Amino acid sequence: MSNPQAGYREAAAGGAGAQPEGVVSGLALPAFQAPDREASVYEAIREDIISGRIPANARLIVAELAERHGTSTNPVREALQQLRGEGFVVMAANRGARVRPIDQDFIRDIYEIEVLIEPALTRWFVGIATDADIAALEALHAEMLRLNYSDPVRHGLLDTQFHHTMYERHYNRHAVDLWWKHREILRAISRRLPISLGRQATVMRDHQDVLDAIKAQDADAAAAVIARHVEGSGRHIIEQMRAARRIGS
């Protein structure tokens, strides 16, 4: 299970502790590392569902999954129960487990939760933010502006580090862990969808607005920006999913 509080590995292909390539080197930015991704059965099945390798409504047979992942049936059963709790898997009597479609309702449920969590994390961060934190956020924002979405993968890493810098020290580790899980899901889905020019501009504007609020120590304003930012992200993913469906029909 991904766990931000347990330590992070470098998300890019650099060595441990390396900064994302291209980040302003003159500032001591906190090294962003993705959660420890030891190949557990839970993580492997979840990734297969998110990526579509296991299609929507597919039946999940415990024995087959155990053989596929080289494990006994108990870890598979535990993984399916956990995935059921997260909404990836549905179970019915005498029908076993099946993959829940990752559809518009699934995305809506996630961003409606995040629009509550992330503003709370941000509001707390404003009260503890240091000059070094602000400098790190400004450097990340500047690098994203410089890239201007020319490298979507790198932009995604920088964007994740921007939010991680604000949330990583929060005392509510359950909230931080849930944010990370949802972030992973939305990132996996959105990387298969285009991002409009209008949304690109809005993301950069939101980052600048939250920076301004943090520097002004205005916790309510910062939280409001993040709430708007999260809701806009979720709505954009849903709009792009609808567009993709129209094109495919």
Side-chain angles (χ1 to χ4, degrees):
M1 176 175 173
S2 60
N3 184 357
Q5 63 188 316
Y8 290 76
R9 287 186 179 176
E10 189 61 46
Q19 294 176 358
E21 181 183 357
V23 172
V24 179
S25 59
L27 291 171
L29 295 178
F32 172 74
Q33 296 174 315
D36 190 334
R37 307 300 289 176
E38 294 296 333
S40 74
V41 174
Y42 155 77
E43 290 165 353
I45 297 173
R46 191 185 73 156
E47 180 58 29
D48 283 346
I49 293 171
I50 293 172
S51 68
R53 286 191 291 269
I54 301 179
N57 298 310
R59 187 180 176 195
L60 298 166
I61 301 173
V62 171
E64 290 181 359
L65 290 169
E67 182 178 358
R68 177 176 178 177
H69 296 289
T71 186
S72 65
T73 56
N74 282 341
V76 173
R77 289 193 179 93
E78 292 172 1
L80 293 182
Q81 288 294 337
Q82 188 170 346
L83 291 165
R84 179 189 186 186
E86 294 176 353
F88 287 105
V89 169
V90 292
M91 295 184 180
N94 302 319
R95 297 183 62 187
R98 293 183 182 274
V99 174
R100 174 183 171 173
I102 299 181
D103 54 14
Q104 295 173 31
D105 289 344
F106 187 79
I107 302 301
R108 181 206 60 209
D109 291 349
I110 289 177
Y111 83 71
E112 286 185 354
I113 293 171
E114 285 306 299
V115 85
L116 299 175
I117 292 176
E118 293 195 47
L121 298 176
T122 302
R123 185 178 283 107
W124 186 83
F125 173 73
V126 172
I128 67 159
T130 65
D131 289 340
D133 291 328
I134 293 171
L137 292 171
E138 288 180 326
L140 290 163
H141 179 57
E143 178 64 5
M144 283 185 277
L145 286 172
R146 188 191 69 78
L147 283 174
N148 194 27
Y149 284 87
S150 61
D151 184 341
V153 173
R154 192 153 143 217
H155 174 93
L157 175 62
L158 293 164
D159 186 74
T160 297
Q161 186 175 356
F162 186 93
H163 289 268
H164 170 257
T165 299
M166 292 192 291
Y167 306 155
E168 64 170 329
R169 299 199 301 277
H170 198 277
Y171 60 86
N172 189 329
R173 305 315 302 172
H174 295 292
V176 176
D177 190 43
L178 186 57
W179 162 74
W180 177 262
K181 289 177 186 174
H182 286 170
R183 180 86 180 185
E184 288 276 86
I185 294 166
L186 294 177
R187 184 168 59 177
I189 294 168
S190 62
R191 67 178 174 232
R192 302 195 298 272
L193 300 168
I195 179 169
S196 69
L197 293 175
R199 182 60 194 163
Q200 291 177 15
T202 299
V203 168
M204 293 295 93
R205 187 164 57 247
D206 287 349
H207 285 175
Q208 185 61 62
D209 288 348
V210 77
L211 268 169
D212 292 342
I214 292 168
K215 287 188 283 189
Q217 296 185 313
D218 190 337
D220 289 338
V225 172
I226 290 297
R228 182 184 73 212
H229 181 72
V230 172
E231 184 172 5
S233 176
R235 290 188 182 279
H236 184 266
I237 292 173
I238 289 174
E239 288 168 2
Q240 294 301 320
M241 290 173 72
R242 287 173 178 164
R245 181 178 298 175
R246 286 194 298 269
I247 293 171
S249 62

